[in-house]
């Protein structure tokens, strides 16, 4: 890093905020920013009155450390987000943000870097792996080979002093990871990968002890001397941190009460009659002044914002803005710049899938639980319906009961899938809006790496165990043993069915296929809910409701033919109905049951239930399930695209 010396501060004037560094960074100007919000109120989401959260805020931020300070709720984060192009533009009533006199809107997000307050990192990955993930996706492959990216990551690790924890995992709720300061430095490193000349940070010291906070600001100070314009909001820094600031913007209730060199802020407030007690921290003093906890020796009717507007500092900003924007008309080059990605779709897919896989392998609780649950239920169902008889009436009752039980298990066993997009919502929004990868890449990585191994593979194991345990050949009736179950699983010695499920392998395949489709349809609906809401409580309600409805209209709890016509159409949306019909046709067709003197064929039973047992009759259920999966997955993807990226 090219660290440069800072010369003595120049006198007050238009250029008094200029830090003399060898590599000047971009200059960000904002003029007359007026931002309002309108909150929805009440259960009907009635729109409340408009509330101004930023009122005519202007400023010039040049190379160096530019701090935005103010009491809680003063609008620090809002100002940072507006100038970083992260705040919903619908709230912007007036004002313009320029970078080097170029009009910038939301596209600034791709030209700069933003470090969010809550460190958003993949906890199961090490510091180096996280940084390499950022490098892989954000550095163009044409300019950076893999060794180049590794070198870049290594140099960032050294610059940020992360050598000791480079190969330590970040940490999750289950894994103890790096410290808070190391985490914050890693978050900054993720953004430094692209060597941005403009860096925004939202409260980078919040939640850190004072020494760690000190080292973070010292790091930012060092970075700024390499020719970066660093803009950050900060709450109440200690003096050793405050004295590193080059420029200070002090806000109170959305208005500027001071904007100028940080070193001159004390003099400014003293000139207004406010006296800082000996040993008081200047940052605390400024907040006391804005909060009205310190009174002036020159009382006036004017507010602090009005006093600032009359001051030479405000005049200096206005003149500075005029000289920057007046010299030439703002260019709209940045505005027309289309959002782009540094890497191709397939490369992104490869990198994101590898990270998802690593995450699944290092965080196996869910996968193991899913597998264990499936094996447990398969054994339970296998034992309950073991040696399924062929004699009436239990032959029918047990078969339909077992199938319904299996389908309930397939559908409700996937409730955990609602967590998927909710858990990772913050990381997805951050990375997607930061230009790491496309939404489709993220979605497909979940389908390939999470859905197939976690949801489909266990179903095949489940189907194999339960199907062959429920099936039994009369010639092999003997006490239940593990050897017997394995034997049944590997080969059916006699295809003469005297009891048990249909032993033909094709029937088993159709059974397993139906179970997988039922399970995937359940997952599809869970994905849709997960992508649509941001809280688990809401997701649980939204997923339980359709599942219960579908269960009622599944054809087991109530005879669908005897239902009210205007209600019975709901069966066409039931995963349970399609699943139950398919497995029933698959099992019953061709079977003959006996009870006393009566015989009943499977076809007779299917006919009595109004189930079409033709070849197409079976496959139409599979097609319907596939349709539900595709519709739910497509809608889940659309919902992911629609997630609000604005703050
Ligand atoms: N999207 C929003 N919806 C509703 N209110 C908002 C929104 N954004 C900002 N506000 C409100 O605007 C005011 C300023 O918020 P902001 O987060 O900018 O303050 P802050 O100075 O950063 O506060 P803190 O230090 O507590 O983070 C607050 O009253 C906040 O509730």
């Amino acid at each position: 890093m090219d660290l440069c010396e800072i010369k003595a501060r120049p006198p007050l004037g238009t250029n008094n905020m200029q830090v003399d560094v060898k590599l000047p960074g971009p200059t960000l100007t904002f003029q007359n920013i007026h931002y309002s919000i309108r909150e929805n109120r009440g259960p009907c989401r009635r729109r409340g009155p408009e509330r101004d959260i930023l009122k005519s805020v202007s400023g010039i931020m040049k190379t160096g450390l530019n701090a935005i300070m103010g009491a809680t709720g003063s609008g620090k984060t809002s100002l940072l987000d507006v100038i970083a192009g992260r705040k919903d533009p619908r709230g912007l009533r007036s004002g313009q943000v320029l970078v080097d006199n170029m009009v910038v809107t939301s596209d600034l997000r791709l030209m700069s870097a933003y470090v969010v307050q809550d460190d958003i990192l993949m906890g199961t990955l090490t510091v180096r792996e996280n940084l390499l993930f950022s490098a892989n996706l954000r550095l163009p492959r044409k300019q950076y080979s893999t060794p180049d990216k590794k070198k870049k990551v290594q140099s960032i690790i050294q610059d940020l002093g992360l050598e000791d924890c480079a190969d330590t995992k970040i940490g999750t709720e289950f894994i103890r990871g790096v410290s808070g300061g190391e985490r914050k430095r890693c978050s900054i490193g993720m953004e430094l990968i692209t060597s941005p000349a403009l860096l925004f940070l939202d409260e980078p010291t919040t939640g850190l002890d004072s020494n760690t906070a000190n080292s973070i600001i010292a790091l930012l100070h060092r970075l700024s001397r390499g020719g970066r314009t660093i803009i950050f909001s900060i709450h109440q820094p200690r003096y050793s941190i405050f004295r590193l600031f080059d420029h200070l913007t002090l806000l109170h209730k959305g208005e500027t009460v001071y904007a100028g060199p940080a070193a001159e802020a004390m003099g400014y407030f003293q000139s207004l009659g406010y006296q800082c007690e000996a040993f008081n921290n200047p940052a605390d003093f400024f907040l006391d002044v804005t909060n009205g906890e310190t009174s002036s020796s020159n009382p006036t009717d004017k507010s602090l914002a009005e006093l600032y507007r009359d001051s030479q500092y405000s005049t200096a900003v206005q003149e500075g803005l005029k000289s920057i924007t007046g010299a030439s008309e703002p260019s709209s080059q940045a505005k027309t710049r289309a959002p782009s990605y540094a890497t191709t779709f397939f490369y992104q897919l490869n990198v994101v899938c590898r990270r998802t896989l690593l995450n699944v392998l290092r965080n196996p609780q869910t996968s193991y639980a899913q597998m264990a649950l499936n094996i447990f239920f398969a054994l339970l169902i296998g034992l309950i319906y073991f040696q399924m008889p062929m004699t009436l009436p239990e032959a029918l009752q047990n078969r339909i009961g077992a199938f319904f039980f299996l389908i309930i298990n397939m559908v409700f066993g996937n409730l955990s899938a609602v967590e998927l997009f909710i858990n990772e919502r913050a990381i997805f929004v951050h990375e997607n809006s930061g230009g790491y990868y496309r939404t489709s890449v993220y979605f497909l990585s979940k389908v390939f790496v999470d859905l197939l191994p976690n949801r489909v593979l266990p179903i095949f194991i489940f189907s194999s165990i339960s199907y062959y345990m429920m099936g039994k050949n009369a010639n092999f009736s003997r006490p239940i043993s593990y050897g017997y179950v394995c034997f049944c699983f590997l080969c059916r010695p006699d295809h003469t069915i005297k009891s048990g499920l249909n032993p033909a392998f094709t029937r088993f395949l159709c059974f397993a296929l139906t179970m997988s489709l039922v399970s995937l349809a359940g997952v599809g609906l869970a994905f849709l809910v997960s992508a649509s809401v941001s809280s688990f409580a809401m997701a649980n309600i939204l997923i339980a409701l359709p599942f219960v409805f579908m269960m009622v209209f599944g054809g087991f709890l109530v005879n669908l033919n005897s239902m009210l016509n205007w209600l019975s159409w709901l069966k066409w949306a039931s995963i349970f109905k399609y699943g139950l019909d398919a497995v029933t046709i698959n099992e019953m067709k061709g079977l003959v049951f006996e009870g006393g003197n009566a015989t009943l064929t499977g076809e007779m039973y299917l006919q009595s239930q109004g189930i079409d047992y033709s070849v197409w009759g079976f496959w139409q259920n599979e097609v319907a399930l596939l349709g539900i999966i595709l519709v739910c997955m497509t809608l889940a993807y659309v919902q992911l695209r629609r997630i609000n990226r604005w703050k």
Side-chain angles (χ1 to χ4, degrees):
M1 193 185 308
D2 191 7
L3 298 181
C4 315
E5 278 185 77
I6 318 168
K7 290 185 182 161
R9 286 181 194 284
L12 182 66
T14 317
N15 293 323
N16 63 349
M17 289 154 255
Q18 179 80 52
V19 175
D20 193 5
V21 288
K22 283 182 188 158
L23 297 167
T27 298
L28 185 141
T29 54
F30 48 98
Q31 196 163 10
N32 197 25
I33 299 285
H34 194 113
Y35 194 91
S36 307
I37 50 141
R38 188 175 279 217
E39 283 167 297
N40 293 327
R41 289 186 177 171
C44 307
R45 298 176 69 80
R46 230 171 1 99
R47 306 216 74 190
E50 204 165 85
R51 187 154 66 93
D52 297 334
I53 56 174
L54 290 174
K55 301 166 202 162
S56 282
V57 182
S58 302
I60 303 173
M61 299 204 171
K62 295 184 175 174
T63 314
L65 280 191
N66 298 271
I68 304 174
M69 267 176 54
T72 178
S74 59
K76 304 181 291 292
T77 306
S78 300
L79 177 60
L80 187 81
D81 291 339
V82 168
I83 62 179
R86 299 226 161 200
K87 195 92 176 156
D88 191 342
R90 284 175 299 178
L92 194 63
R93 297 285 166 262
S94 70
Q96 194 177 42
V97 181
L98 303 176
V99 175
D100 286 338
N101 205 24
M102 286 198 296
V103 177
V104 195
T105 54
S106 57
D107 292 341
L108 176 63
R109 288 186 289 174
L110 299 176
M111 302 159 62
S112 58
Y114 188 107
V115 181
V116 290
Q117 186 178 346
D118 309 310
D119 304 316
I120 301 178
L121 296 162
M122 191 55 92
T124 47
L125 267 57
T126 65
V127 168
R128 191 188 302 280
E129 285 164 347
N130 269 297
L131 293 173
L132 203 54
F133 178 76
S134 177
N136 278 332
L137 292 173
R138 298 169 87 195
L139 297 177
R141 289 175 75 201
K142 280 187 189 150
Q143 290 160 28
Y144 292 87
S145 63
T146 306
D148 289 343
K149 288 176 187 170
K150 285 187 177 161
K151 242 187 250 168
K152 175 119 192 161
V153 166
Q154 185 56 32
S155 86
I156 286 181
I157 287 175
Q158 279 165 359
D159 286 348
L160 300 186
L162 287 169
E163 292 101 323
D164 291 345
C165 61
D167 297 307
T168 306
K169 289 191 188 108
I170 295 292
T172 63
E173 49 198 305
F174 304 112
I175 310 169
R176 170 80 183 93
V178 296
S179 70
E182 288 163 343
R183 217 180 147 92
K184 178 58 75 186
R185 275 184 272 160
C186 184
S187 293
I188 296 173
M190 294 287 281
E191 301 306 323
L192 291 182
I193 287 286
T194 54
S195 310
L198 189 53
L199 184 61
F200 299 96
L201 300 101
D202 185 15
E203 308 208 9
T205 56
T206 299
L208 302 178
D209 64 76
S210 59
N211 281 330
T212 315
N214 214 12
S215 77
I216 295 290
I217 298 295
L219 164 75
L220 294 177
H221 186 259
R222 249 182 24 244
L223 292 171
S224 73
R225 270 48 198 169
R228 287 190 171 92
T229 303
I230 299 182
I231 305 170
F232 56 94
S233 60
I234 193 159
H235 204 252
Q236 219 160 347
R238 65 188 240 192
Y239 178 65
S240 58
I241 289 179
F242 179 81
R243 69 193 170 88
L244 295 177
F245 299 169
D246 297 302
H247 183 270
L248 174 70
T249 303
L250 197 57
L251 295 178
H252 178 59
K253 292 188 178 168
E255 290 184 286
T256 313
V257 294
Y258 176 80
E264 294 176 20
M266 180 64 86
Y268 170 72
F269 284 107
Q270 279 172 347
S271 74
L272 297 181
Y274 294 97
Q275 287 309 318
C276 179
E277 287 173 16
F279 307 115
N280 193 1
N281 174 9
D284 293 341
F285 168 66
F286 300 145
L287 293 191
D288 286 346
V289 171
T290 57
N291 289 340
E293 282 165 27
T294 299
S295 46
S296 166
S297 54
N298 304 328
T300 156
D301 289 343
K302 289 186 174 175
S303 68
L304 282 170
E306 285 167 331
L307 288 169
Y308 165 72
R309 279 197 288 276
D310 295 342
S311 75
Q312 55 184 331
Y313 291 97
S314 173
T315 314
V317 169
Q318 296 306 330
E319 283 173 3
L321 287 171
K322 252 187 238 158
S323 74
I324 293 170
T325 56
S328 60
E329 270 300 293
S331 142
S332 61
Q333 192 185 327
K335 195 178 184 177
T336 52
R337 189 174 169 271
S340 57
Y341 296 94
T343 49
T344 61
F345 173 87
F346 288 107
Y347 184 74
Q348 286 176 12
L349 190 61
N350 177 19
V351 174
V352 179
C353 278
R354 272 192 288 139
R355 182 180 73 166
T356 312
L357 184 65
L358 213 54
N359 190 37
V360 169
L361 293 176
R362 289 187 185 166
N363 201 5
Q365 289 91 339
T366 346
S367 327
Y368 287 167
Q370 193 75 21
M371 187 67 86
L373 195 77
N374 273 300
I375 293 176
F376 172 77
F377 269 105
L379 290 172
L380 185 71
I381 292 173
L383 290 174
I384 293 172
Y385 296 101
F386 197 72
Q387 304 179 350
M388 212 179 278
M390 290 294 286
T391 47
L392 292 169
E394 56 275 17
L396 275 182
Q397 188 184 356
N398 285 9
R399 274 175 177 73
I400 305 305
F403 295 153
F404 189 67
F405 192 2
L406 285 167
I407 288 167
I408 287 184
N409 182 51
M410 287 298 104
V411 175
F412 284 92
N414 286 308
L415 277 179
S416 65
V418 291
E419 287 185 358
L420 207 65
F421 297 123
I422 298 176
N423 270 344
E424 290 187 5
R425 202 177 180 91
I427 200 164
F428 161 68
V429 168
H430 176 67
E431 293 176 345
N432 183 243
S433 52
Y436 283 65
Y437 47 70
R438 295 160 176 86
T439 307
S440 51
V441 164
Y442 176 73
F443 184 75
L444 287 178
S445 79
K446 289 292 167 208
V447 171
F448 293 148
V449 182
D450 190 276
L451 197 135
L452 296 180
N454 269 353
R455 315 280 164 189
V456 177
L457 187 67
I459 301 307
F460 264 86
I461 295 173
F462 172 89
S463 303
S464 311
I465 296 174
S466 57
Y467 193 87
Y468 284 101
M469 276 182 80
M470 286 189 290
K472 172 241 166 194
N473 191 296
N475 297 336
F476 287 86
S477 63
R478 61 176 72 176
I480 306 162
S481 72
Y482 179 71
Y484 174 71
V485 172
C486 291
F487 174 75
C488 290
F489 176 72
L490 293 172
C491 59
R492 294 287 306 194
D494 187 347
H495 281 199
T496 313
I497 312 166
K498 293 184 180 160
S499 62
L501 296 183
N502 202 315
F505 188 62
T506 48
R507 298 279 182 128
F508 163 71
L509 283 184
C510 287
F511 172 83
L513 174 72
T514 309
M515 289 297 142
S516 303
L517 289 177
V518 166
S519 172
L520 287 179
V523 175
L525 200 60
F527 269 28
L528 174 57
V529 169
S530 183
S532 306
V533 297
S534 53
S535 81
F536 289 115
M538 201 62 201
N540 282 332
I541 293 170
L542 286 182
I543 194 74
L545 214 67
F547 278 176
V548 170
F549 255 92
M550 287 181 184
M551 190 167 74
V552 173
F553 290 89
F556 179 76
L557 299 176
V558 61
N559 189 309
L560 297 173
N561 300 325
S562 66
M563 269 190 128
L564 294 170
N565 272 346
W566 61 269
L567 204 60
S568 67
W569 63 269
L570 282 167
K571 67 185 175 198
W572 301 117
S574 173
I575 298 171
F576 288 76
K577 177 197 153 27
Y578 296 121
L580 195 59
D581 281 4
V583 283
T584 311
I585 296 168
N586 184 50
E587 168 62 16
M588 296 289 194
K589 219 170 150 182
L591 284 194
V592 180
F593 304 104
E594 285 168 9
N597 296 330
T599 53
L600 177 80
T601 62
E603 284 82 352
M604 285 161 73
Y605 171 78
L606 291 166
Q607 219 161 9
S608 72
Q609 296 296 309
I611 299 173
D612 175 4
Y613 55 87
S614 64
V615 174
W616 169 240
F618 170 79
W619 285 106
Q620 70 183 5
N621 294 300
E622 310 289 9
V623 170
L625 287 171
L626 203 62
I628 292 177
I629 296 167
L630 292 178
V631 168
C632 287
M633 290 291 181
T634 311
L635 290 178
Y637 169 67
V638 171
Q639 288 296 75
L640 269 190
R641 286 192 71 96
R642 290 183 64 236
I643 285 180
N644 186 9
R645 265 79 164 165
W646 301 111
K647 290 179 75 186

